[in-house]
Amino acid sequence: TPIEIAIGVMIIAAAPGGVTSNVLTKFANGDVALSISLTAVTSLLSIISVPFIVINSANFFGVSITTNISMTGIALKMALVVTVPVIIGMIIRGLAENFISSKINIVNKITGWLFIIVFAAIWIEEKDNIFDYLAQAGLAVLILNISMMIIAFFISKKFVSGVPQQKCIALECGLQNGTLAVFVSTSLFDEMVYMVPTAAYALIMFVTSLIFVFLIKRTAS
């Protein structure tokens, strides 16, 4: 129903940027270091901000949380989901920094192919549901996705000095962490409908972000 879809849109809108933004920032010749830093910071902030936004959105629409969990409980669960991968990544980087630095070209190629594989896998896996997802929430999340990237790109012009940083910020705002959004949806609600906007957003953001990268590489310098 429209209310569940609206709350689902709030869930994906509240989600922080994901690692996909780091990969696309690299493709767009953006500031990768800034992208990684923004992803880390917003992911940590999301431990508090996402439960607050989603639970208050549910209260605003008069929808009850169907699982027996408090704002503190979901925040603690999110802390594990967010911080454990970051800690593992820091440990790997610390133990193998010289190896990674020496093989950076190979790592970049592997990353690029993994992105293509993930992109194809999502569309293939969801081929039976794609039109259903897009029919229910496609327009809302398309507007959300495009408006966030455009607004972020032009606002960043006022606060950062270089185009690489503008590309980074735009992609960081347009590529949300769908995995985290699904985790929040399933932790707070029993019905699958709350995940529909996240599924639609995941399908759309890959396409719009690739178009954005293509256009920005041609027009920005």
Side-chain angles (χ1 to χ4, degrees), residues 89-167:
M90 291 173 64
I91 292 173
I92 293 173
R93 180 63 185 262
L95 295 175
E97 183 171 3
N98 291 335
F99 175 79
I100 293 174
S101 298
S102 65
K103 306 294 183 183
I104 191 65
N105 289 332
I106 297 175
V107 171
N108 287 337
K109 288 180 181 179
I110 292 173
T111 302
W113 280 108
L114 284 175
F115 176 83
I116 294 172
I117 291 170
V118 169
F119 174 84
I122 289 175
W123 279 79
I124 292 170
E125 183 179 353
E126 299 296 336
K127 64 181 184 299
D128 295 332
N129 301 314
I130 286 175
F131 294 110
D132 186 41
Y133 293 155
L134 296 180
Q136 293 186 63
L139 180 60
V141 295
L142 177 64
I143 293 171
L144 172 66
N145 176 254
I146 293 177
S147 61
M148 284 304 300
M149 284 198 290
I150 292 174
I151 291 170
F153 183 77
F154 285 104
I155 289 180
S156 65
K157 281 189 172 184
K158 301 294 183 182
F159 298 98
V160 298
S161 57
V163 173
Q165 289 73 36
Q166 295 166 20
K167 296 175 184 177

Side-chain angles (χ1 to χ4, degrees), residues 28-43:
N29 297 324
D31 191 331
V32 179
L34 176 60
S35 178
I36 294 171
S37 299
L38 287 174
T39 299
V41 171
T42 56
S43 294

